[in-house]
Amino acid sequence: MWAWLVGGFLVFLVLAMGAVAFYLHDSGPESCDSYEFNSDKWLSYDDTDNEAGDMVRCKTLNGMSQADVLDTLGSTWLNDRSRSLKTAWIFRAGEVDDGYGGTERQQLYVNFNGKGNVTGTTLAYPETD
């Protein structure tokens, strides 16, 4: 009898903790509802990696034209070679830990459709073993 009671309590506890974690994740500071692009963070290079991650997660650039992307992100971190491409632009997006005590540059890929509108963004992280 006690085993059932303790087991039931543990199941309830795990479910309650999961519900709280979901609520905090969905409505906390990481929520896209409260996210607003910050050009100062993007241009600082110290916070560029965090800002890039938020943009990808919240799909901030999706639907923008190439001109809108340049207005929003500027050309400071734009890889000059990629600017001539019609389907994707590559921006430097800060530095991340490489897993070996150093850092590696991270890149933000902005993908465009045939009409020049953003269809998605991705981050390229360094490979670690």
Side-chain angles (χ1 to χ4, degrees):
M1 168 101 170
W2 284 104
W4 283 96
L5 190 57
V6 169
F9 176 74
L10 290 176
V11 168
F12 171 77
L13 187 62
V14 168
L15 291 175
M17 289 173 58
V20 168
F22 176 78
Y23 173 77
L24 291 176
H25 173 72
D26 198 41
S27 63
E30 298 293 317
S31 171
C32 291
D33 292 336
S34 63
Y35 169 71
E36 194 171 316
F37 175 75
N38 184 322
S39 62
D40 290 336
K41 283 184 177 180
W42 171 253
L43 293 173
S44 75
Y45 203 68
D46 289 335
D47 289 323
T48 302
D49 56 337
N50 294 326
E51 197 64 28
D54 288 339
M55 281 191 292
V56 170
R57 183 176 50 81
C58 295
K59 299 176 174 50
T60 304
L61 302 177
N62 285 12
M64 286 187 180
S65 68
Q66 290 180 340
D68 292 338
V69 170
L70 282 179
D71 285 345
T72 301
L73 301 182
S75 61
T76 303
W77 306 130
L78 179 61
N79 179 318
D80 288 335
R81 292 178 305 187
S82 75
R83 189 169 185 174
S84 64
L85 299 175
K86 302 291 185 203
T87 58
W89 286 351
I90 304 168
F91 290 84
R92 285 183 11 202
E95 295 181 350
V96 293
D97 185 348
D98 68 1
Y100 299 103
T103 58
E104 293 276 344
R105 281 192 182 157
Q106 173 176 262
Q107 295 180 322
L108 172 69
Y109 287 80
V110 180
N111 303 303
F112 300 97
N113 62 17
K115 296 180 180 180
N117 296 321
V118 177
T119 57
T121 53
T122 54
L123 285 174
Y125 295 98
E127 293 183 19
T128 58
D129 292 325

